[in-house]
Amino acid sequence: MSINGLIRLGDNALVLGQRLSEWCGHAPALEEDIALANIALDLIGQTQLWLGLAGEREGAGRSADTLAFHRDAWDFRNLLLVEQPNRDFAVTMMRQFLFDAWHFEALTALSTHDDDEINAIAQKSLKEVTYHRERATDMVIALGDGTEESHDRMQGALDRMWPYVGEMFTTDADDLTDMTALRPRFDAHVMAALAEATLTRPKSDFAHLGGKTGTRHSEHLGHMLATMQVLPRSYPDATW
Amino acid sequence: MVETRASVSDVWAWLSDVPDPEIPAISLVDLGIIRDIAWQGDTLEVTVTPTYSGCPATSVINFEIEAALRAHGIQNLSLKRQIAPPWTTDWLSDAGRAKLEAYGIAPPQPAGGPQHCPLCKSTSVERISQFGSTPCKAQWRCTDCLEPFDYFKCI
């Protein structure tokens, strides 16, 4: 059982949770503001479970908080997709839709993992993520098949986010399940939703890589972490 | 014969008086998050399962349990978090469901939406948003009495 595999799952939830919380107080409608904050909250809760277990298994005395607040960008193992900036609401929803579609399949596979602590966290998270995926799918369809403006923005968001899809389906010995095996079910869900949303899947399958291995994060992660980590790093003894 | 430890059934009764911090109309026992109460030697072990993994009420709930049991004279107390099997709205008690409805929150339904408006009982309801004021609720609206209301999500 790989500690890095647990850290990958925790970092995905942490980085996306932090990104979504940037919308708090700024979303285009009150309901959307509340929904994004709720999803962020679920993801931060899942982070505590995954990073908590990672710290426990590592046995070096690092808690979930230590892992979240006292590592630098190059030690993070999240997918490049989740660290991409929010930009507009179209990009935020498209990023969420693509991540949720992968997350749902990954957690479904991990729900039957041999390790009881891993399958327990996966089963718990899956209930929440089922809801996230349903909402993101509805939003992509409503906005894609909406006005000319919302359609164009969603197509632009899809074109922008698509190069970050491939990394989700790369796999190595650190992963807790074979990520390549998740692709057919992901494609089935995503293609059906895109068709209904009148959006066109980009032709190129070029994929940026380097997030989950930590070899090459995008410039955006460091800026995000600077904001996220400033308090515990400035006041390492602070508790709350 | 003098009992030196509170009985488990007494402890269940005490906890059924502790309101949920987010939805004070129902108790922690009604919510179905108290999974087990047992004595381990001199220590009372209470097993609690979170509703949603990020629910901020979790730490307040632990605090409330501890305060209630200390008030009843329990000195050695251990709170155990259990996430498997994951909490489900099936564990809401029937009394809890009725109290939710009386409070104005539609109780969870297997159909995935409220049976009727908790206020005027009309079945003409529509969803506003999948998410509401807390992770466990969604926002709905009655198209007859026009009142918005919370629906306790079914998970």
Side-chain angles (χ1 to χ4, degrees), chain A residues 147-226:
Chain A
T147 64
E148 198 179 325
E149 171 75 14
S150 73
H151 174 273
D152 289 352
R153 284 205 188 207
M154 290 308 281
Q155 184 64 52
L158 177 60
D159 295 345
R160 185 186 275 276
M161 291 296 116
W162 195 255
Y164 300 101
V165 166
E167 187 186 20
M168 299 194 280
F169 304 99
T170 59
T171 207
D172 61 27
D174 279 344
D175 283 320
L176 304 181
T177 186
D178 176 10
M179 298 299 174
T180 58
L182 309 178
R183 188 76 198 239
R185 289 175 58 90
F186 169 91
D187 278 342
H189 179 81
V190 168
M191 293 316 147
L194 292 182
E196 214 178 320
T198 69
L199 297 173
T200 311
R201 173 203 195 279
K203 284 197 179 64
S204 170
D205 271 328
F206 166 73
H208 293 291
L209 301 178
K212 64 186 276 186
T213 57
T215 49
R216 194 175 64 94
H217 279 287
S218 62
E219 65 178 291
H220 310 294
L221 181 63
H223 293 278
M224 197 202 89
L225 293 182

Side-chain angles (χ1 to χ4, degrees), chain A residues 16-98:
Chain A
L16 187 56
Q18 175 72 14
R19 273 282 179 245
L20 289 177
S21 69
E22 292 170 10
W23 275 109
C24 195
H26 301 279
L30 181 61
E31 288 78 8
E32 299 314 322
D33 203 295
I34 292 171
L36 291 176
N38 264 302
I39 296 168
L41 195 61
D42 285 342
L43 290 170
I44 299 297
Q46 294 169 20
T47 304
Q48 289 171 332
L49 298 174
W50 289 121
L51 293 186
L53 182 60
E56 219 175 280
R57 293 284 172 93
E58 183 188 52
R62 294 203 286 180
S63 65
D65 274 1
T66 318
L67 287 166
F69 295 121
H70 296 279
R71 281 180 302 148
D72 286 308
W74 49 80
D75 293 322
F76 272 72
R77 294 289 179 270
N78 58 280
L79 297 160
L80 294 173
L81 175 70
V82 296
E83 70 195 43
Q84 298 310 304
N86 290 335
R87 300 186 191 274
D88 62 3
F89 200 65
V91 168
T92 297
M93 289 321 302
M94 185 55 75
R95 183 187 61 199
Q96 193 66 33
F97 167 68
L98 296 170

Side-chain angles (χ1 to χ4, degrees), chain B residues 107-124:
Chain B
Q109 300 293 340
Q115 201 172 30
H116 51 231
C117 166
L119 307 163
C120 76
K121 314 299 176 198
S122 161
T123 52
S124 305

Side-chain angles (χ1 to χ4, degrees), chain A residues 1-14 42-58 62-65 67 71 99 102-103 106-111 113 115-126 128-129 176-177 179, chain B residues 53 81 83:
Chain A
M1 203 283 311
S2 156
I3 304 290
N4 268 337
L6 295 169
I7 288 184
R8 282 175 178 175
L9 292 161
D11 285 352
N12 282 335
L14 172 62
D42 285 342
L43 290 170
I44 299 297
Q46 294 169 20
T47 304
Q48 289 171 332
L49 298 174
W50 289 121
L51 293 186
L53 182 60
E56 219 175 280
R57 293 284 172 93
E58 183 188 52
R62 294 203 286 180
S63 65
D65 274 1
L67 287 166
R71 281 180 302 148
F99 178 76
W102 169 83
H103 204 198
L107 293 172
T108 302
L110 292 171
S111 292
H113 196 279
D115 186 310
D116 280 342
E117 284 184 286
I118 291 173
N119 66 44
I121 299 175
Q123 286 168 33
K124 178 83 197 148
S125 308
L126 184 57
E128 297 163 0
V129 169
L176 304 181
T177 186
M179 298 299 174
Chain B
S53 50
R81 184 187 68 178
I83 63 165

Side-chain angles (χ1 to χ4, degrees), chain A residues 39 92-98 100-101 130-142 154 189 193, chain B residues 130-131:
Chain A
I39 296 168
T92 297
M93 289 321 302
M94 185 55 75
R95 183 187 61 199
Q96 193 66 33
F97 167 68
L98 296 170
D100 289 345
T130 302
Y131 230 85
H132 301 174
R133 185 179 78 149
E134 184 187 316
R135 176 170 183 281
T137 305
D138 287 353
M139 289 298 281
V140 164
I141 293 169
M154 290 308 281
H189 179 81
Chain B
Q130 279 111 320
F131 290 90

Side-chain angles (χ1 to χ4, degrees), chain B residues 120-155:
Chain B
C120 76
K121 314 299 176 198
S122 161
T123 52
S124 305
V125 292
E126 65 180 12
R127 189 174 71 189
I128 303 173
S129 174
Q130 279 111 320
F131 290 90
S133 54
T134 63
C136 55
K137 289 178 279 175
Q139 294 177 72
W140 283 67
R141 172 166 51 208
C142 174
T143 55
D144 276 334
C145 74
L146 304 180
E147 283 293 325
F149 62 89
D150 272 332
Y151 164 63
F152 205 104
K153 296 189 304 210
C154 192
I155 69 165

